[in-house]
Amino acid sequence: MNVDVRDTETKIKEAARKVFLAQGYERTKIRQIADEAGVNLALVNYYFRSKEQLFKSIYAETFAQFLGQMVLLLNEETPLEVKIWRIVDRYTDFIVANPLIPGFILSEAQANDGAFFKEMNARGKLKESVFRRQLLEEAEKKTIRPVDPMQVIVTIMSNVIFPVMARPIVSYIGSFDETGFRAFMESRKQIVPEMIMAYLRAG
Amino acid sequence: MNVDVRDTETKIKEAARKVFLAQGYERTKIRQIADEAGVNLALVNYYFRSKEQLFKSIYAETFAQFLGQMVLLLNEETPLEVKIWRIVDRYTDFIVANPLIPGFILSEAQANDGAFFKEMNARGKLKESVFRRQLLEEAEKKTIRPVDPMQVIVTIMSNVIFPVMARPIVSYIGSFDETGFRAFMESRKQIVPEMIMAYLRAG
DNA sequence: GTCTATATCGTGATAGAC
DNA sequence: GTCTATCACGATATAGAC
């Protein structure tokens, strides 16, 4: 009979995640979260004390997911060129499947001037990545040009994330429907790695 | 004695632009706009009837500025390679000088599902650009590989805009201060056009 | 743990005097 | 055009019964 067996706390959290991601902190009302979860309004505060605390727990989780996925890919033990292809491919899939995450993280990060993710060790995780070491080593061996690894990482993220964040504009200008947009992103899986490799090999 | 001679309507509008861009619609309170403008709260509604209407007029202006700058650059009559360098250079300067514009446009666009800019003729302006024609012609002449112009335009915008939108994260991870971040963006003025040209010439 | 009822406050908007 | 005072409403949060 379709009885929802998840416990109340879980239901609230999942509903909150859905609504916060779609609308951001300010626009979201806790009544909406309660409705979405199918629970009484008062229970939200009973379990999470306040809207802000509920938000923070969701933000922390989401940011960890966002960064964790990237760190995972950066640390794979694969030769450089194959790896660039893989990172773009996999991160595109991740972002297309979770298109609201980047905007959520960035807009709320700006509202709080990045106070949130300073607590997590985002810096170390990216600075000590295998990918970084590979870029430096290959440059040393002259198989690619010398390059700031940070520039390469930012370039990959830009090319994967921005089109999804700007999807309303991109889809409107390109006259894309759902399928058209997906095809556009699929094409980028080829273009972006080729472009980066062409740059690294030239010069 | 530093008397502010701008008329009240202008003062309100400029204050509103500043606050809306920094905080977005929901987070902004009209009392804050009035304070920022140094005028009485009631005058905001006297001149603009409602918060929403004030916001819309600012959004429309800002979007036009954002898109207009890009269209201007896309339509310059310059040979393709020089042009790509120029577009990246000039658009980077524009975005660095106006770093809040992209996030403002995108976050509010998503909140309204792009309803705003469907009214402006953004599609036509980009679809019929000189840049688009150039890419198709050069591909025809085999001086570059065949490419979807939309992909090139989105790639340029991604590489210029995203690092600025993600500045809190980028600066934190790269340990950049104000100067360091500017230098990072200056480097991209070289990297991004080289990368795109390397791609277009290869293949 | 879950509900109803309510306290308290912040916000957008306007009425009406000057 | 500009001000003060205030209304009307929605939102967060909690008290207290069950």
Side-chain angles (χ1 to χ4, degrees):
Chain A
M1 332 301 182
N2 255 333
V3 174
D4 193 339
V5 296
R6 293 169 304 163
D7 66 359
T8 304
E9 189 171 347
T10 306
K11 282 193 281 189
I12 293 172
K13 200 154 188 179
E14 289 176 1
R17 184 181 153 88
K18 177 176 172 185
V19 182
F20 276 137
L21 274 165
Q23 305 188 338
Y25 181 81
E26 298 288 340
R27 197 174 221 96
T28 296
K29 314 301 172 194
I30 58 177
R31 283 166 213 276
Q32 196 182 353
I33 294 173
D35 291 349
E36 180 75 32
V39 305
N40 185 280
L41 167 64
L43 291 177
V44 177
N45 285 314
Y46 173 78
Y47 280 102
F48 294 93
R49 220 179 61 89
S50 72
K51 177 186 175 182
E52 192 179 350
Q53 185 168 309
L54 174 55
F55 178 81
K56 281 187 180 172
S57 82
I58 290 183
Y59 188 86
E61 264 185 34
T62 306
F63 185 72
Q65 185 189 8
F66 171 77
L67 202 69
Q69 183 70 19
M70 177 55 77
V71 169
L72 193 77
L73 294 169
L74 291 178
N75 284 322
E76 281 187 357
E77 292 286 355
T78 320
L80 184 62
E81 178 165 4
V82 179
K83 186 157 167 176
I84 289 176
W85 283 82
R86 259 182 77 82
I87 292 175
V88 172
D89 183 83
R90 301 278 293 268
Y91 213 60
T92 299
D93 286 343
F94 173 71
I95 295 294
V96 167
N98 301 278
L100 298 176
I101 286 182
F104 174 71
I105 289 174
L106 290 183
S107 75
E108 306 297 342
Q110 199 198 9
N112 297 278
D113 198 32
F116 275 124
F117 53 77
K118 280 176 185 160
E119 300 164 20
M120 320 199 180
N121 184 20
R123 176 153 42 204
K125 284 177 186 155
L126 291 186
K127 280 243 155 170
E128 293 141 25
S129 67
V130 173
F131 188 63
R132 178 190 151 85
R133 178 171 53 70
Q134 286 176 304
L135 285 168
L136 297 175
E137 281 176 7
E138 297 291 329
E140 189 70 26
K141 287 190 286 180
K142 313 278 193 201
T143 54
I144 63 169
R145 71 161 75 183
V147 67
D148 173 7
M150 187 73 185
Q151 288 283 6
V152 181
I153 294 173
V154 169
T155 296
I156 292 174
M157 295 185 76
S158 297
N159 280 288
V160 171
I161 296 172
F162 182 82
V164 175
M165 288 188 69
R167 175 171 174 170
I169 298 186
V170 170
S171 282
Y172 169 68
I173 292 174
S175 304
F176 297 143
D177 57 9
E178 167 81 22
T179 311
F181 182 76
R182 290 190 108 86
F184 182 79
M185 290 306 297
E186 281 298 316
S187 292
R188 292 188 74 73
K189 289 182 176 178
Q190 183 101 8
I191 294 171
V192 174
E194 271 197 54
M195 189 172 65
I196 292 172
M197 285 313 300
Y199 171 79
L200 291 177
R201 276 195 289 254
Chain B
M1 286 75 122
N2 255 334
V3 175
D4 193 340
V5 296
R6 294 169 303 164
D7 65 359
T8 303
E9 188 172 347
T10 306
K11 283 193 283 190
I12 293 172
K13 199 153 188 179
E14 289 175 2
R17 185 182 151 86
K18 177 176 171 184
V19 181
F20 275 137
L21 273 164
Q23 306 188 338
Y25 181 81
E26 297 288 340
R27 196 173 222 97
T28 296
K29 314 301 172 192
I30 58 176
R31 283 172 171 78
Q32 195 182 357
I33 294 173
D35 291 349
E36 180 76 31
V39 304
N40 186 280
L41 165 66
L43 291 177
V44 178
N45 285 314
Y46 174 76
Y47 280 102
F48 293 95
R49 218 178 62 89
S50 74
K51 177 187 176 184
E52 191 179 350
Q53 185 168 309
L54 173 56
F55 178 81
K56 280 188 180 174
S57 82
I58 290 180
Y59 189 86
E61 263 183 34
T62 305
F63 185 71
Q65 184 189 8
F66 172 78
L67 202 69
Q69 183 71 20
M70 177 53 78
V71 170
L72 193 77
L73 294 169
L74 291 178
N75 284 322
E76 281 186 357
E77 290 287 355
T78 319
L80 183 63
E81 179 165 4
V82 179
K83 186 158 169 175
I84 289 177
W85 283 81
R86 258 181 77 80
I87 292 175
V88 172
D89 183 84
R90 301 279 293 270
Y91 213 61
T92 298
D93 286 343
F94 173 73
I95 295 293
V96 168
N98 301 279
L100 299 176
I101 286 182
F104 174 71
I105 289 174
L106 290 183
S107 75
E108 307 297 341
Q110 200 199 10
N112 297 278
D113 198 32
F116 276 126
F117 54 77
K118 280 177 185 161
E119 300 166 18
M120 322 199 178
N121 185 20
R123 176 152 41 204
K125 284 177 185 154
L126 290 186
K127 279 243 155 169
E128 292 141 25
S129 68
V130 174
F131 188 64
R132 178 190 152 87
R133 179 171 50 70
Q134 286 175 305
L135 285 167
L136 297 176
E137 281 175 7
E138 297 291 330
E140 188 70 25
K141 286 191 286 181
K142 312 278 192 201
T143 54
I144 62 168
R145 73 162 74 184
V147 67
D148 172 7
M150 187 73 185
Q151 290 281 8
V152 180
I153 294 173
V154 168
T155 296
I156 292 175
M157 297 185 76
S158 297
N159 280 287
V160 171
I161 296 172
F162 182 82
V164 175
M165 288 188 69
R167 175 171 173 170
I169 298 186
V170 171
S171 282
Y172 169 69
I173 292 174
S175 305
F176 297 144
D177 57 8
E178 167 81 21
T179 311
F181 182 76
R182 291 189 108 85
F184 183 78
M185 289 308 296
E186 281 298 315
S187 293
R188 292 187 74 73
K189 287 182 177 180
Q190 184 101 8
I191 294 170
V192 175
E194 270 197 56
M195 189 173 67
I196 293 172
M197 285 310 302
Y199 172 78
L200 291 177
R201 277 195 289 256

